[in-house]
Amino acid sequence: MQTEATTETAETTESYQLTALDRCDECGAQAYIRVELASGDLLFCSHHGNEKKPALEPVAVAWHDESKKLLAR
């Protein structure tokens, strides 16, 4: 039963896509990074996500980064 819950969480995290309505918790810009923590989720623009990554990565359950969309043409 524990394995099934882990699989569902991984699939949900991989299929989740940020939209233009998702805003950075720091500055309000469009969010491109979603950090899943045990206590909840944080959304960041690319700048603030990269700035906070060293502190948050060790405690993050999942790190969803869509900042490559910034370079897409």
Side-chain angles (χ1 to χ4, degrees):
M1 189 175 243
Q2 181 69 17
T3 306
E4 291 177 26
T6 304
T7 304
E8 287 179 22
T9 303
E11 289 174 4
T12 304
T13 302
E14 289 176 14
S15 65
Y16 183 86
Q17 288 191 350
L18 295 166
T19 69
L21 297 176
D22 293 313
R23 309 314 282 179
C24 176
D25 291 333
E26 284 286 316
C27 68
Q30 184 174 346
Y32 288 95
I33 297 173
R34 176 178 164 255
V35 183
E36 184 182 335
L37 303 170
S39 59
D41 295 347
L42 294 172
L43 299 176
F44 295 111
C45 62
S46 183
H47 166 78
H48 285 114
N50 289 325
E51 182 180 81
K52 307 251 183 244
K53 190 171 187 173
L56 290 175
E57 199 169 36
V59 295
V61 173
W63 192 276
H64 181 79
D65 188 344
E66 295 182 12
S67 58
K68 290 182 180 180
K69 289 181 178 179
L70 291 166
L71 301 175
R73 289 185 175 208

